[in-house]
Amino acid sequence: MSTMVELRTLVTAAAAAYTANGALGAAVALRWVDTSGARWIHHALYAVTLTSTAVAVVAGAARRSPAALALAPAAVPLMLLQRHGARPLRRHTRDALWAAPCYAAGLVLAWR
């Protein structure tokens, strides 16, 4: 397996975790899904998102990949989510969405 395929896989996994977590959060906010008995699922997806993003950034930085440079700023809004918490919901949503361009750019650069 080539180095670029591995990096593509890592960036894609990080973006997929971010997307899954955001989709779950949106579904809960819209009351399409009730996770009141299992809030740990959203927290676990957050941990997977944070970890997979860090792994992709470190692996990409070691290879001097532009994808890592694009993905690295996603750490700021991800950490703000932890610091700010879920309330108010508007701030939580804003913090989460600030990371979206980083994942999009990381995917584009990893796959070109």
Side-chain angles (χ1 to χ4, degrees), residues 24 28 33-42:
L24 178 61
V28 169
V33 175
D34 179 14
T35 60
S36 58
R39 287 195 175 103
W40 63 268
I41 295 170
H42 193 53

Side-chain angles (χ1 to χ4, degrees), residues 31-55:
R31 298 180 188 193
W32 294 347
V33 175
D34 179 14
T35 60
S36 58
R39 287 195 175 103
W40 63 268
I41 295 170
H42 193 53
H43 299 153
L45 277 172
Y46 171 80
V48 169
T49 301
L50 194 59
T51 303
S52 61
T53 301
V55 169

Side-chain angles (χ1 to χ4, degrees), residues 9-90:
T9 302
L10 293 172
V11 172
T12 302
Y18 170 77
T19 302
N21 202 21
L24 178 61
V28 169
L30 293 169
R31 298 180 188 193
W32 294 347
V33 175
D34 179 14
T35 60
S36 58
R39 287 195 175 103
W40 63 268
I41 295 170
H42 193 53
H43 299 153
L45 277 172
Y46 171 80
V48 169
T49 301
L50 194 59
T51 303
S52 61
T53 301
V55 169
V57 168
V58 170
R63 296 175 181 113
R64 296 190 170 136
S65 167
L69 186 61
L71 192 56
V76 173
L78 290 176
M79 296 311 289
L80 286 175
L81 286 168
Q82 177 76 21
R83 181 172 171 83
H84 289 159
R87 299 283 182 239
L89 184 58
R90 180 177 290 165

